[in-house]
Amino acid sequence: MASRTRTRFWDPSGHRYGIPTYPRKKVPPHLRTLRQLAAEGLRPGGQGPQAQVLWCSRLPGPPRVRATYLYDVRFALPKRSRRTRTTPPKVNTSRRTCSECLTDVGYVLPRHLGVCLDCAEEAAA
């Protein structure tokens, strides 16, 4: 029965399933799942799924086919670091500098005031 399942899900050309399909443990070495890419410090980088792996579920209930998508490691890009996802400190310096007292107050100025809280209190009094 195992060989029948392997041949059922063997479609490297993609004619039967519309995308290249492989059984488990018969995947070409250049294809990875999302978890495998993440473990290597990579991300798909905008590419769509290049292939899929199909297998029969062993969960209780009616038998069903499960799938996972594969991505080409040759087109994968490095993961974005936490630094590139956050705003660099130099960008925020203009938003933290008060236009009246010209000091860096250490927090982003409220837009509705346009000045630091100390200058806003002095102007209100």
Side-chain angles (χ1 to χ4, degrees):
M1 182 172 175
S3 64
R4 199 166 107 219
T5 303
R6 280 192 212 123
T7 58
R8 177 178 163 195
F9 298 137
W10 181 257
D11 182 26
S13 62
H15 289 298
R16 190 179 323 155
Y17 296 103
I19 185 171
T21 304
Y22 301 97
R24 292 189 333 180
K25 299 186 181 184
K26 297 289 183 181
V27 178
H30 66 280
L31 296 175
R32 308 273 197 285
T33 64
L34 281 176
R35 286 187 181 200
Q36 290 170 334
L37 285 177
E40 295 176 16
L42 299 172
R43 60 187 170 97
Q47 66 174 316
Q50 302 295 315
Q52 65 183 352
V53 173
L54 295 179
W55 71 95
C56 289
S57 174
R58 292 185 176 179
L59 294 174
R64 60 181 183 159
V65 175
R66 303 203 48 191
T68 187
Y69 295 110
L70 302 170
Y71 301 90
D72 198 331
V73 73
R74 297 173 293 190
F75 303 124
L77 299 175
K79 273 185 169 180
R80 293 186 179 121
S81 68
R82 189 171 297 268
R83 257 188 203 169
T84 58
R85 282 184 273 159
T86 59
T87 309
K90 289 182 180 179
V91 173
N92 282 332
T93 54
S94 62
R95 297 175 61 199
R96 292 190 320 242
T97 306
C98 178
S99 60
E100 287 191 24
C101 61
L102 301 175
T103 58
D104 185 353
V105 291
Y107 56 88
V108 177
L109 301 173
R111 292 181 68 189
H112 69 282
L113 296 176
V115 293
C116 67
L117 298 177
D118 296 333
C119 293
E121 281 182 19
E122 290 175 11

